[in-house]
Amino acid sequence: MDSLSGRSAIVTGGARGIGAAVVRSLTEEDFGVVVADILEREGRELADRLGDAAIFHVLDVTDETQWRQTLRDAEATYGPPAVLINNAGIVDFAGVEAESPAMFRHVVDVNLYGSWLGMHVCAPAIRAAGGGVIVNMSSTAGLIGYAGVGGYVASKWGLRGVTKAAALELGPDNVRVCSVHPGPIHTPMTAVLSESTAAYQPLPRFGEPDEVAAMVRFLVTEATFSTGSEFVCDGGATAGRTLDLADVS
């Protein structure tokens, strides 16, 4: 941690939900954090509350020019980049037949291409500064399939794969790259889901953004021998289903 502290961190989708929790957590670790998002009001309010520890920057993660400006501002304000958290993401609740081609591409563009673009732009600077950490926010949808969100599932499986490719490429230069796979978490994105969605899990509840942020913080500050790996925060959702012995004859 000592070699990374005091440098800059960029958190996409940082204005609210999991992203905002990650921003708050990283400021506690002496990073200067860029809250990067298209949600200006929420992002500026969060940065203002955090004072000198954070700034807000408008970022459409699919726009290379905006990425490069975000990186320049991070370096100018807080110094060389140490951490990139690719958290920005969207979902379209539509099945394979119902989802429009345009929306499928948009989901993949934001969730997968946007994260790849962030690594493409920021990895050289992180490497040149002596190393750092990239965390890509995937999902349990990057580990198993879900009906009704085909574009989302495709993007999150793809993000899991490109994480491994980047880890192999960047590891020799002391850049660790891991993916985090949250299950149902209380965020604006999941507000349409019933609480019963989590009823079958070993921990039958939705998680909280701070619980995911704690895992991200661990990856950044403690997991110094981990790269290319999946870290799951899902209440046991991907462990399987409990067998009801009352149904066994």
Side-chain angles (χ1 to χ4, degrees):
M1 173 59 193
D2 290 342
S3 63
L4 300 183
S5 62
R7 287 164 54 187
S8 61
I10 298 171
V11 181
T12 71
R16 65 184 188 181
I18 292 172
V22 171
V23 167
R24 291 189 294 268
S25 180
L26 291 180
T27 61
E28 295 171 359
E29 293 289 344
D30 196 30
F31 290 103
V33 183
V34 178
V35 181
D37 210 311
I38 59 172
L39 301 175
E40 292 195 45
R41 180 180 61 80
E42 294 96 325
R44 293 189 189 282
E45 287 176 353
L46 175 61
D48 288 345
R49 287 196 299 272
L50 293 171
D52 292 340
I55 60 170
F56 172 76
H57 202 289
V58 175
L59 175 64
D60 173 350
V61 294
T62 68
D63 187 317
E64 183 177 354
T65 299
Q66 290 187 22
W67 261 114
R68 295 196 180 280
Q69 186 60 56
T70 299
L71 176 60
R72 284 193 292 269
D73 288 354
E75 292 174 317
T77 307
Y78 298 119
V83 176
L84 169 63
I85 311 297
N86 282 312
N87 170 75
I90 60 172
V91 65
D92 180 35
F93 291 98
V96 171
E97 295 176 279
E99 189 169 28
S100 71
M103 181 53 75
F104 180 92
R105 289 185 177 183
H106 183 49
V107 170
V108 173
D109 278 350
V110 173
N111 296 357
L112 178 55
Y113 173 69
S115 296
W116 172 86
L117 189 56
M119 292 191 290
H120 174 72
V121 170
C122 297
I126 296 173
R127 184 173 60 241
V133 183
I134 298 172
V135 177
N136 292 323
M137 196 65 66
S138 183
S139 166
T140 52
L143 299 170
I144 60 176
Y146 289 98
V149 284
Y152 185 77
V153 170
S155 69
K156 294 303 187 178
W157 275 80
L159 187 54
R160 176 187 174 194
V162 77
T163 295
K164 292 183 179 295
L168 292 168
E169 295 171 17
L170 300 174
D173 293 310
N174 197 35
V175 181
R176 296 187 290 108
V177 190
C178 293
S179 57
V180 170
H181 298 257
I185 306 295
H186 281 133
T187 69
M189 182 184 290
T190 62
V192 300
L193 299 178
S194 166
E195 294 290 322
S196 64
T197 303
Y200 74 92
Q201 297 171 184
L203 302 180
R205 63 173 177 85
F206 274 49
E208 300 300 330
D210 285 344
E211 293 177 292
V212 183
M215 179 168 284
V216 173
R217 186 172 181 167
F218 166 75
L219 290 176
V220 170
T221 63
E222 301 293 339
T224 54
F225 198 52
S226 295
T227 194
S229 300
E230 299 89 354
F231 290 80
V232 185
C233 184
D234 71 346
T238 56
R241 295 296 181 99
T242 302
L243 177 63
D244 188 346
L245 296 180
D247 294 333
V248 177
S249 59

